[in-house]
Amino acid sequence: MAHVELSLSGAFVPQARTPSEAEFVTSVERWSMAVAAADEPCLVIDIDGLIIAVSPSCSELLGLGKPVEALGRPVTSLNLLDFTANAGRLEEPEADNIPPMLALRSERLARGLIRVLPRTGETPLTLDAISTPLMAGDRIGGALTFLSPVRY
């Protein structure tokens, strides 16, 4: 016959502790670090729409130069084009409706196509952009965007 023994120790009392450093890092900071080292074309903007992190492949894709040179630039200052046959420059009201900016305003996932001219004289690129808001506590702190060229 099996024999089971049970012993009870004293009551569990949680000990006071010092919060780890990870508890002080916001999701915006965490994603910024991940994006800076990512292979995929992606970027993070802050609540003001300024680029605070960009992957090397995204920087190359958008013609931004070195990633560090893109930091602090408004995402709407990219060479955004409209979808007309003339491929005119996208003006400010429409530029505010690209997925990264929509994710900031709506605090929801945003997806859409954007058209950019990476460098003067090159063919415009159409990019599929998927953006998600990043929270800083209980409020929006920025947006993370993944970009994928549309091949046609």
Side-chain angles (χ1 to χ4, degrees):
M1 178 179 274
H3 178 75
V4 176
E5 225 176 276
L6 175 65
S7 69
L8 298 173
S9 59
F12 173 72
V13 179
Q15 299 296 313
R17 65 178 182 84
T18 304
S20 69
E21 185 178 324
E23 293 179 65
F24 295 111
V25 178
T26 67
S27 65
V28 174
E29 292 168 323
R30 240 177 274 137
W31 277 108
S32 293
M33 290 183 283
V35 162
D39 289 332
E40 298 80 11
C42 51
L43 58 88
V44 175
I45 60 172
D46 67 10
I47 192 69
D48 298 317
L50 302 177
I51 298 171
I52 58 173
V54 62
S55 68
S57 60
C58 184
S59 188
E60 175 65 27
L61 183 69
L62 298 175
L64 298 173
K66 295 179 182 176
V68 71
E69 295 169 359
L71 303 182
R73 286 182 58 178
V75 72
T76 55
S77 75
L78 300 174
N79 292 322
L80 298 169
L81 304 174
D82 61 26
F83 283 93
T84 64
N86 295 333
R89 180 149 176 81
L90 199 62
E91 298 301 324
E92 195 64 37
E94 290 84 18
D96 284 336
N97 290 322
I98 63 174
M101 299 303 290
L102 283 175
L104 285 180
R105 278 199 318 276
S106 68
E107 297 185 12
R108 295 179 186 267
L109 188 67
R111 183 174 189 185
L113 297 176
I114 60 174
R115 195 173 186 198
V116 298
L117 183 64
R119 291 165 202 82
T120 307
E122 287 189 7
T123 303
L125 285 174
T126 300
L127 304 169
D128 183 12
I130 301 173
S131 299
T132 186
L134 298 174
M135 302 306 286
D138 60 346
R139 58 189 174 87
I140 189 100
L144 167 66
T145 302
F146 288 93
L147 300 167
S148 179
V150 176
R151 311 275 187 219
Y152 47 88

